[in-house]
Amino acid sequence: MKTINHLLTINDLTKTEIHELIAEAVEIKQKLKNGTPHQHLAGKTLGMIFEKSSTRTRVSFEVGMTQLGGHAIFLSPKDMQLGRGESIADTAKVLSRYVDGIMIRTFEHKTVETFAENSSVPVINGLTDEHHPTQVLADLMTVYEQKGRLEGLNMAFIGDGNNNMTHSLLQGAARAGLNMTVASPEGYEPNKQIFEEAVQSAKESGKAVQFYADPYKAVSGADIIVTDVWTSMGHEEEAADRLRKFQPYQINDDLVASAADEYIFLHCLPAHREEEVTASIIDGPRSFVFDEAENRLHAQKALLKKLMN
């Protein structure tokens, strides 16, 4: 695998790199369960900048660095000069002289791009409003564990098409060799450029990316069904309106009846039961959301090892 300088979107990875990272993550997961030492990053430090709060992102990166023999530093804007007006570029230049890698969870995607442009160490996008690549690596790892392959599987995302999970799943599915459908209400379609690039990427490998207004069409024959909360951080004032518009897109027993018999359900969490998904689905036998959450740790360890070793 060639050296990856940064991970800002899934498109920073080739198909081969995605598969190699997943294979590495599976191996690292087994080493942890066997108690086999894997301290590939001894003496290394990851700086973690959080402008958006998190449970899974913070804990998985911090624990991951510890298990790899390194150290992680939590940084919030109020703890940094960034929160007092220092430019992103200057912050990146200073921090990259102290640490061996930087993970950022923030709002505007331009922030991580500017950070990467001015950093002399690898930068990882822990989430922006447009992309969530580390979550999608964990999602693809979970699919691989449950299905034994990625190539040719059918993934359906039902819900808000214009959010970071949809965009990164579109890129990840197209790159990794899956077919993908998206179903969203009018006005919540995926970013046009990201969607069209995913369509073209999938077409080049003989796969398909499609959009439907009808969630039943999108779910038909799906091997993987994915959703996310209807109201993401920063859109709280729209919650009541979104609840009404997205109700027909709820993942429930009626909707999944047309999926493949052995479909799996994924959700990046946190989940709002009886909103975007019913308890019967997320707590049912086809749900692998907690395996998916655990796999954030393992997939990110594989990524950290590759970027910072």
Side-chain angles (χ1 to χ4, degrees):
M1 191 193 302
K2 72 176 178 63
T3 300
I4 307 163
N5 294 321
H6 306 293
L7 181 70
L8 307 187
T9 77
I10 287 291
N11 281 351
D12 289 328
L13 302 171
T14 66
K15 178 178 181 177
T16 298
E17 287 166 345
I18 290 172
H19 285 268
E20 288 178 345
L21 278 171
I22 290 171
E24 178 76 13
V26 171
E27 182 178 338
I28 285 175
K29 183 175 183 177
Q30 192 58 51
K31 285 181 178 178
L32 180 64
K33 294 187 183 301
N34 293 342
T36 305
H38 51 288
Q39 297 190 329
H40 304 290
L41 298 181
K44 303 279 188 177
T45 301
L46 176 72
M48 306 189 304
I49 301 173
F50 284 87
E51 292 188 315
K52 275 190 174 184
S53 59
S54 167
T55 298
R56 280 152 290 275
T57 300
R58 178 177 178 179
V59 175
S60 58
F61 270 107
E62 195 160 333
V63 171
M65 281 300 295
T66 300
Q67 292 178 353
L68 289 168
H71 180 65
I73 301 173
F74 173 82
L75 299 165
S76 72
K78 67 180 181 180
D79 301 320
M80 305 168 61
Q81 295 299 330
L82 186 64
R84 297 178 60 194
E86 184 173 46
S87 71
I88 295 168
D90 285 356
T91 302
K93 290 171 183 175
V94 171
L95 279 184
S96 58
R97 294 190 177 214
Y98 296 146
V99 301
D100 303 286
I102 298 167
M103 187 283 299
I104 311 175
R105 183 177 171 94
T106 188
F107 294 90
E108 294 185 13
H109 191 70
K110 182 63 178 175
T111 299
V112 297
E113 292 179 332
T114 302
F115 225 99
E117 289 167 4
N118 291 277
S119 173
S120 57
V121 298
V123 173
I124 298 170
N125 174 8
L127 176 141
T128 63
D129 289 342
E130 288 188 12
H131 296 278
H132 199 355
T134 57
Q135 176 66 54
V136 169
L137 286 175
D139 293 357
L140 294 175
M141 177 184 175
T142 308
V143 172
Y144 179 80
E145 286 182 320
Q146 298 304 321
K147 295 295 185 180
R149 64 187 175 99
L150 295 175
E151 188 78 32
L153 293 173
N154 301 314
M155 175 182 285
F157 181 92
I158 312 299
D160 186 356
N162 191 27
N163 82 351
N164 47 30
M165 278 305 304
T166 320
H167 295 156
S168 287
L169 282 168
L170 281 165
Q171 292 180 339
R175 286 289 169 109
L178 291 82
N179 300 297
M180 185 167 174
T181 56
V182 178
S184 306
E186 184 178 359
Y188 297 92
E189 298 88 352
N191 174 280
K192 185 176 181 181
Q193 181 178 343
I194 293 172
F195 184 81
E196 290 178 350
E197 287 175 353
V199 169
Q200 185 57 39
S201 178
K203 188 180 296 184
E204 289 171 2
S205 58
K207 305 300 186 297
V209 168
Q210 297 173 293
F211 177 85
Y212 296 101
D214 184 349
Y216 288 86
K217 287 184 179 179
V219 164
S220 179
D223 301 297
I224 310 108
I225 300 174
V226 193
T227 193
D228 193 4
V229 293
W230 290 341
T231 306
S232 300
M233 285 182 283
H235 298 283
E236 288 81 4
E237 73 283 355
E238 305 172 14
D241 188 46
R242 285 171 173 260
L243 191 63
R244 176 179 57 83
K245 291 179 178 177
F246 281 89
Q247 193 58 46
Y249 295 81
Q250 182 187 70
I251 309 299
N252 53 39
D253 292 300
D254 183 51
L255 181 62
V256 304
S258 59
D261 290 341
E262 298 297 312
Y263 83 91
I264 66 172
F265 173 74
L266 300 179
H267 189 307
C268 63
L269 302 179
H272 298 156
R273 286 167 174 77
E274 308 311 326
E275 286 190 16
E276 72 271 9
V277 58
T278 59
S280 63
I281 300 297
I282 194 170
D283 298 322
R286 307 311 309 160
S287 174
F288 293 88
V289 298
F290 296 109
D291 297 78
E292 177 188 9
E294 177 192 344
N295 284 340
R296 287 290 301 277
L297 172 65
H298 311 302
Q300 286 162 189
K301 283 164 70 176
L303 178 64
L304 289 166
K305 177 188 173 185
K306 180 59 189 173
L307 289 174
M308 294 173 60
N309 192 16

